[in-house]
Amino acid sequence: MAAAPGTLSFAVRSALGETGALGATVRQLARRVEDTPGRIEAVLDTLSRRGDVLRIGRGLWMLSAYERLDGRSDFVDPRAFVERFEQESGVSLGRYSGPITFRSNESLPVHRWWPYVQGYSAEFVAGVLAEQGVGRGSTVLDPFAGSGTSLVEARRAGARAWGTELLAPAVLASRVKTHLELVPSHLAAGARQFLVAARRRRPGPLPFLRETRRQFSLAALGELTRLRDALPPEGSPVADALRLAFGQILIPASRLHRSPCLGYDRRAREDGPGPFERFRAAVREMTEDLGVVRAERVRLGPPATVRQRDARDGGWPQRSVDLAVTSPPYVNGMDYVMNYKVDLAWLGYARSYGDLRALRRVEVACDNLPRSETAAYVAIDHLPDPWLAEILPRIRENIRRKGTYRRDDMHAVVHRYFSDIVPVLADVRRTLVPGGRFVVVVGDSLLAGTYVPGDLLLARIGAALGFSIVSVEVARSRRSGQRRSFELRESVVTLARPKSAG
Ligand SMILES: C[S@@+](CC[C@H](N)C(=O)[O-])C[C@H]1O[C@@H](n2cnc3c(N)ncnc32)[C@H](O)[C@@H]1O
């Protein structure tokens, strides 16, 4: 039954109609129709009992008519993009059936030293290396090295491993995890001495993060500051391993968790082991694992090189890499700086909010980027791919219709994201030997009610830069954070530098 014009019910329905597939929260609706949140909630309750409106997650409400995005005239669905991609590129989407997420690494020696939810599986990397015949004498590059999954596996395959990564804690993890020559008894002795020194210390100052006292119990803060202040300076294999063990216990010793975004854990772990005990356990795990991989040492490739820098700057020698394998940030997937701020602050890599902001300006674009960084991308021109000429205006239009969204320049964030990816693709192409491959694990996104095929766009941009598209294989499906019922995917895109091209 349609509500009569002039009633609150009519106003709420009209306001929801304007926000379309994006939906709106109670507070947003209250502002829009100039009424109280309490009265809006009551109207939504009635409308929802009638089946006229529904909740779509994160406190958002939507008209039921917008429930299915596909089929709407203002929505281009994943299938349509796949069809166009297959037609235009001549490449049909395939399937990758092995494990792809980091989860399987959590029980693997070495990989488990710094659980990185955003990482991919060691088994996936090992499979790619084997398939490409990587071995002694080969060079493998990972421009977004993260916790070093690719680099560890490349060394274990006998290859030279090169990586770049922006976040210092991840660089530390990559360095320690690739230094498998570390003698377990040296680490154990170093840890014993270190713990004696830490126990003798008094609790020290807290890092700059405003929420530190909420994030940790008082007892944990006391032990953590003593551990932190006793850490030897970075630079030797034992000192770096101790630092990583300290980094590894930070979140488990806090009231936070990552799933995958950093948030408070409702089941606070106040009564779990304290930081000293957790630290001892982390070092024990490392010494055990170093013992397990000891036999592999003779087969390892040369020491890995991990540079802390912006992947867009590249800088590796031309035609020197046999295989590049990576997983970049996804379109608006994750603000890594935000997610690793605790690690950055406690490990001394960021000393102020200004330091965090500076890092955010360099990381591949996500929606926490300051507006000054997207200003050059507001105009829909100079696009890395023609498909963006359709996608970006759709994002802009949906947000304009809704009136309130996290930010009104979201299309510029997406524009900048793909512009950030271009120099990385171009530089990897330059560093690959002719015939060399670039294997990229990347996902698609749903943003402001607009579908963005991140994997297909990356493949297309690669093709425009002179790669040939070897394959796009769907590895798994994911749920959209914006709308739980919407299925997204994660794909393995394989590009090749043609043998004959210059
Ligand atoms: C999906 S993760 C890579 C995870 C990795 N495959 C692993 O298994 O650990 C993407 C990484 O890109 C990094 N990153 C973001 N922007 C960057 C930039 N401009 N330069 C270098 N690294 C960057 C993030 O810090 C993050 O570690």
Side-chain angles (χ1 to χ4, degrees):
M1 189 177 51
T7 61
L8 183 58
S9 184
F10 182 85
V12 168
R13 286 186 57 122
S14 313
L16 275 180
E18 280 162 30
T19 68
L22 262 67
T25 64
V26 169
R27 288 179 57 183
Q28 288 167 345
L29 288 168
R31 258 198 312 272
R32 241 178 142 95
V33 305
E34 297 178 352
D35 212 307
T36 65
R39 278 167 49 87
I40 303 295
E41 256 171 37
V43 167
L44 286 170
D45 246 20
T46 314
L47 290 175
S48 111
R49 273 200 301 277
R50 275 204 238 137
D52 290 352
V53 299
L54 49 97
R55 259 184 208 280
I56 51 167
R58 289 194 187 160
L60 287 169
W61 289 86
M62 180 180 75
L63 283 185
S64 305
Y66 283 87
E67 185 177 8
R68 287 192 62 79
L69 283 168
D70 37 347
R72 293 197 55 82
S73 61
D74 61 350
F75 184 76
V76 179
D77 72 6
R79 263 178 330 219
F81 279 111
V82 168
E83 270 167 32
R84 267 169 84 182
F85 177 82
E86 293 185 340
Q87 250 170 30
E88 290 173 21
S89 67
V91 175
S92 299
L93 261 62
R95 285 228 146 253
Y96 169 81
S97 56
I100 195 86
T101 66
F102 194 88
R103 184 161 292 228
S104 54
N105 295 1
E106 284 169 7
S107 53
L108 288 181
V110 182
H111 290 289
R112 63 179 178 165
W113 292 356
W114 202 61
Y116 198 45
V117 248
Q118 291 80 21
Y120 48 34
S121 86
E123 192 178 329
F124 161 73
V125 177
V128 172
L129 299 181
E131 203 180 301
Q132 301 304 321
V134 164
R136 196 151 296 284
S138 312
T139 299
V140 174
L141 168 67
D142 186 342
F144 297 102
S147 63
T149 312
S150 321
L151 308 182
V152 172
E153 291 306 310
R155 264 208 96 191
R156 293 174 88 175
R160 180 177 292 107
W162 290 345
T164 49
E165 166 60 46
L166 184 66
L167 281 191
V171 172
L172 175 72
S174 292
R175 285 209 178 114
V176 175
K177 285 165 58 183
T178 47
H179 191 77
L180 300 174
E181 289 84 351
L182 180 56
V183 179
S185 59
H186 292 181
L187 176 58
R192 272 195 302 275
Q193 268 176 23
F194 165 73
L195 276 167
V196 170
R199 283 187 193 286
R200 282 203 196 113
R201 285 189 166 264
R202 303 180 74 78
L206 300 184
F208 67 91
L209 294 174
R210 284 187 281 270
E211 294 224 346
T212 300
R213 283 182 199 282
R214 186 174 167 215
Q215 290 163 345
F216 298 89
S217 69
L218 207 60
L221 285 175
E223 291 193 16
L224 284 173
T225 53
R226 288 156 76 196
L227 285 166
R228 178 204 57 198
D229 294 345
L231 281 172
E234 227 169 310
S236 80
V238 169
D240 290 358
L242 296 177
R243 190 167 285 267
L244 182 65
F246 175 71
Q248 201 226 91
I249 66 166
L250 283 168
I251 298 301
S254 76
R255 295 175 179 138
L256 300 161
H257 71 152
R258 287 196 183 97
S259 72
C261 292
L262 192 63
Y264 284 91
D265 196 338
R266 266 181 252 117
R267 299 159 287 113
R269 283 157 291 190
E270 305 271 357
D271 47 356
F276 278 123
E277 208 177 319
R278 286 185 189 274
F279 181 86
R280 257 202 315 272
V283 172
R284 200 179 316 121
E285 194 172 88
M286 287 170 123
T287 51
E288 273 169 23
D289 290 358
L290 285 166
V292 170
V293 296
R294 209 188 173 118
E296 288 183 29
R297 280 202 258 163
V298 286
R299 299 197 301 273
L300 290 176
T305 307
V306 194
R307 294 184 183 156
Q308 190 195 346
R309 63 191 298 174
D310 184 349
R312 291 171 300 176
D313 294 343
W316 303 98
Q318 185 160 316
R319 295 180 180 227
S320 54
V321 170
D322 300 282
L323 171 75
V325 53
T326 202
S327 175
Y330 295 2
V331 191
N332 197 38
M334 160 84 48
D335 178 353
Y336 285 89
V337 176
M338 174 82 147
N339 254 281
Y340 290 90
K341 64 183 179 197
V342 171
D343 315 55
L344 285 160
W346 278 90
L347 289 165
Y349 296 128
R351 300 196 178 273
S352 65
Y353 281 98
D355 286 353
L356 294 181
R357 279 196 296 275
L359 269 176
R360 188 171 289 131
R361 277 196 286 274
V362 186
E363 88 178 309
V364 167
C366 67
D367 74 353
N368 283 337
L369 206 60
R371 293 181 82 91
S372 56
E373 292 295 314
T374 54
Y377 299 88
V378 170
I380 301 184
D381 53 19
H382 299 102
L383 299 174
D385 185 84
W387 280 11
L388 291 170
E390 299 164 30
I391 294 170
L392 300 183
R394 244 177 249 141
I395 297 176
R396 191 177 55 185
E397 181 52 24
N398 278 353
I399 292 172
R400 194 196 58 73
R401 271 203 348 223
K402 176 166 164 144
T404 46
Y405 192 68
R406 282 201 303 280
R407 56 191 297 166
D408 61 10
D409 63 343
M410 195 61 206
H411 73 282
V413 174
V414 177
H415 185 180
R416 164 132 178 210
Y417 170 88
F418 287 104
S419 304
D420 282 349
I421 293 294
V422 168
V424 182
L425 280 165
D427 201 67
V428 169
R429 187 184 177 283
R430 185 187 64 78
T431 58
L432 279 174
V433 297
R437 292 197 167 179
F438 187 15
V439 179
V440 188
V441 175
V442 67
D444 52 2
S445 307
L446 183 68
L447 292 173
T450 307
Y451 176 68
V452 184
D455 49 356
L456 307 183
L457 279 161
L458 184 138
R460 287 169 53 89
I461 295 170
L465 291 168
F467 278 107
S468 61
I469 304 172
V470 178
S471 59
V472 178
E473 295 167 298
V474 179
R476 69 174 183 117
S477 62
R478 304 137 56 217
R479 294 265 153 224
S480 155
Q482 194 179 80
R483 185 183 286 236
R484 303 302 295 165
S485 62
F486 193 82
E487 199 170 282
L488 295 171
R489 58 174 184 260
E490 189 163 66
S491 306
V492 183
V493 176
T494 302
L495 305 171
R497 177 175 182 162
K499 282 204 169 88
S500 52

